[in-house]
Amino acid sequence: MGVGVCLSRSPSLVSVLTLSRLAIVTLAASVWLRGPTSADSMAVGQAVHSPSRVYGPCAVVRGVFMYYVLKDKARFYIYISTDSVYDVCDKSHADPTRESDAVRPASEQRRQELQAVESYGHRKLMIEEELVLQREAGGIPFVSLRLPDVIGPKDNTYRWWIYQLWIRLADHLEKPLAIPSFLVNKPMSLVYVNDVADVIVRLMDPKPEVFDQAFNLAFKETPTLLQLLGDMKLALNITDLSIITDNSVNAVHMFPSVRSGPIDITKAQESLHWSPTPLETAIVETVDFYERTMTDPYMVGPRKEIIRTMETHFTSKPLMLLQGLKKHYGLNYQVPKEEL
């Protein structure tokens, strides 16, 4: 079976969703005029009678356009979504967030308020809605995988790597290791990149019962940021470093990136046989990867970027940072150095 896999933001989908409504209508109309069939017309009629799926006057036209975008390109579409979609929805319970909680508020004003705060989650949920609409228009089946913050090797957000260097080089940085006070007792969901890759491979041979559904993927464990940093310290064999609480409004934190709290993975466990790596194992493997990356000759570019980040945001004394890099990793950067 042909499979279309979206490992990041699909250019075709995102390009459509970031266009103005007028441009979307124009593109959709141009495709429509090139040769719609009677079946297409019936599909539009069916979509029109699904008001719960329509958000804005162009929703049906967009769905039909997505039908043509995906038509003949694949027979099954795996979309990498995010738990940020829940930040543009109103959850009615205090338990971990379930897939069924991804329902936008009925109030247009409330929708606009949430979208203004969380534009990323809004756009990702729009793409999920587009996939539903194209399916209702006779399109291909799909699965949406809703991921929380991803940890593991080669994370180009550098969030984990920043924390790891903040811990490792703490004695050489002016900014003390700290977490915002509001996150001290707040559990969060994370997911391991290797586990996501495994489930995508399994979905290459999908079963019909998973079609057209969303699934939360995450570790079973839901640590607080304080617990996560404590485990990172242990993996680095650092026991004499304190983590302070920062009460300022500008307190730095890389995790979590959502406000809605942990997600419920029961559905994925039952339908996708989701069995994530133990968090402790993933932490040790991720720490080991970034420690090796600090001296890997093939990772010069990313290493320069992360050093520049630490220099810019964690100290005003770059010489101290360079001394730490030499002490812990044997890196001999000079001051001044153009690459820094």
Side-chain angles (χ1 to χ4, degrees):
M1 174 179 286
V3 180
V5 180
C6 174
L7 294 178
S8 58
R9 301 187 184 192
S10 164
S12 58
L13 292 179
V14 172
S15 64
V16 170
L17 294 178
T18 54
L19 293 171
S20 68
R21 285 183 173 180
L22 177 60
I24 291 171
V25 172
T26 302
L27 285 170
S30 67
V31 174
W32 181 256
L33 292 173
R34 283 200 295 268
T37 66
S38 58
D40 293 328
S41 299
M42 291 177 62
V44 174
Q46 292 170 355
V48 169
H49 290 92
S50 302
S52 63
R53 297 295 186 184
V54 177
Y55 298 102
C58 299
V60 173
V61 180
R62 291 200 315 262
V64 172
F65 182 60
M66 286 300 93
Y67 167 74
Y68 280 100
V69 168
L70 297 176
K71 184 181 180 183
D72 301 325
K73 301 297 191 302
R75 294 175 60 190
F76 177 60
Y77 196 85
I78 301 172
Y79 175 56
I80 303 301
S81 190
T82 169
D83 63 346
S84 293
V85 301
Y86 300 119
D87 280 346
V88 293
C89 303
D90 280 333
K91 191 169 75 170
S92 59
H93 60 88
D95 295 328
T97 307
R98 299 183 289 269
E99 290 85 353
S100 56
D101 291 318
V103 179
R104 294 184 189 262
S107 165
E108 179 64 27
Q109 179 179 348
R110 178 60 176 160
R111 280 190 218 156
Q112 294 296 330
E113 291 172 354
L114 293 175
Q115 290 168 199
V117 174
E118 181 49 64
S119 62
Y120 175 65
H122 162 59
R123 287 180 283 118
K124 294 291 273 190
L125 186 54
M126 277 188 71
I127 296 175
E128 288 195 28
E129 293 160 354
E130 298 301 322
L131 289 169
V132 171
L133 288 169
Q134 67 82 32
R135 181 66 160 146
E136 292 175 348
I140 65 173
F142 65 91
V143 162
S144 294
L145 303 179
R146 293 178 182 159
L147 309 185
D149 293 321
V150 181
I151 67 169
K154 301 181 180 179
D155 171 21
N156 61 10
T157 69
Y158 296 160
R159 290 176 294 190
W160 182 283
W161 202 358
I162 288 171
Y163 271 128
Q164 188 161 323
L165 284 182
W166 200 357
I167 294 171
R168 172 63 80 194
L169 302 175
D171 291 342
H172 304 273
L173 299 171
E174 292 176 284
K175 193 175 186 65
L177 182 63
I179 63 171
S181 56
F182 71 90
L183 289 178
V184 170
N185 297 311
K186 185 173 182 177
M188 61 181 172
S189 284
L190 301 166
V191 70
Y192 193 33
V193 64
N194 293 356
D195 292 337
V196 177
D198 287 344
V199 81
I200 289 174
V201 170
R202 291 200 301 274
L203 282 171
M204 293 294 183
D205 185 21
K207 297 180 179 179
E209 53 263 33
V210 306
F211 286 175
D212 312 328
Q213 296 189 57
F215 295 94
N216 292 335
L217 302 182
F219 289 107
K220 294 178 181 178
E221 302 90 340
T222 55
T224 64
L225 180 57
L226 182 62
Q227 291 169 334
L228 181 67
L229 296 184
D231 289 340
M232 290 173 68
K233 284 171 49 183
L234 290 177
L236 288 165
N237 197 29
I238 294 175
T239 58
D240 58 350
L241 176 63
S242 298
I243 303 174
I244 67 173
T245 300
D246 189 340
N247 296 309
S248 70
V249 294
N250 297 318
V252 174
H253 75 281
M254 272 65 77
F255 301 116
S257 63
V258 298
R259 302 183 307 278
S260 51
I263 55 177
D264 188 321
I265 60 172
T266 303
K267 182 179 177 182
Q269 289 174 310
E270 294 175 349
S271 299
L272 300 180
H273 305 293
W274 174 251
S275 182
T277 300
L279 178 60
E280 181 180 0
T281 301
I283 289 173
V284 170
E285 292 177 355
T286 303
V287 165
D288 179 65
F289 172 82
Y290 286 110
E291 286 297 282
R292 288 185 286 106
T293 296
M294 289 303 296
T295 55
D296 187 335
Y298 296 101
M299 298 295 283
V300 173
R303 189 160 58 243
K304 288 180 181 179
E305 291 181 20
I306 195 68
I307 292 173
R308 187 177 295 111
T309 296
M310 303 308 293
E311 181 187 39
T312 302
H313 299 287
F314 294 86
T315 185
S316 62
K317 301 177 180 179
L319 180 58
M320 289 180 59
L321 172 61
L322 300 185
Q323 290 171 342
L325 291 170
K326 183 175 182 179
K327 175 182 177 181
H328 292 286
Y329 300 109
L331 297 175
N332 290 299
Y333 289 106
Q334 302 297 318
V335 179
K337 188 87 171 178
E338 183 179 345
E339 65 189 24
L340 294 175

